[in-house]
Amino acid sequence: MANELDSILDTLRSKGYDSVTRIYDWSEEADGTVPLSKEQRREPQTGWRRFLPRIENEADPELVPDDLRSVVEEHGWTVQPLGREDESAYIIISKDGV
């Protein structure tokens, strides 16, 4: 499995996703922060609103860029978003999902 994940990570690096790396030395998962598409980005909150939590679905599969998803799924692996910022999403890649 380590070779499969290495292949996925190499392809993602060639596409500019350098922030996606193996979780420690564990060979079965990788994670990182990736930029959101322009449609998924949001304006930072200003004023007093910046102190309020935003209620959003951080696990929305639409947060994963299409080219990243296709590389991962081509190998039979799963990519899932676990959180988001205004312009980026935190994703995890694993063999069978989280």
Side-chain angles (χ1 to χ4, degrees):
M1 267 202 259
N3 289 336
E4 269 185 297
L5 184 55
D6 287 338
S7 177
I8 291 170
L9 294 175
D10 288 343
T11 304
L12 291 178
R13 280 188 209 100
S14 73
K15 293 185 174 287
Y17 295 107
D18 296 330
S19 67
V20 180
T21 58
R22 185 179 308 278
I23 296 175
Y24 305 107
D25 290 327
W26 196 26
S27 63
E28 296 184 16
E29 291 183 344
D31 67 352
T33 304
V34 296
L36 293 171
S37 67
K38 289 184 180 186
E39 299 81 32
Q40 296 289 344
R41 292 180 187 168
R42 62 185 185 199
E43 293 295 318
Q45 290 184 342
T46 59
W48 64 271
R49 291 183 180 265
R50 71 181 183 272
F51 299 109
L52 298 174
R54 289 190 180 181
I55 307 300
E56 299 208 30
N57 186 1
E58 280 93 12
D60 183 356
E62 295 295 316
L63 296 176
V64 178
D66 291 337
D67 60 337
L68 187 148
R69 179 180 303 287
S70 66
V71 167
V72 172
E73 290 179 351
E74 179 179 290
H75 288 85
W77 285 55
T78 303
V79 59
Q80 296 171 275
L82 296 179
R84 68 166 295 157
E85 298 280 331
D86 292 332
E87 296 186 1
S88 62
Y90 173 72
I91 57 112
I92 189 162
I93 297 170
S94 60
K95 182 65 178 170
D96 300 311
V98 177

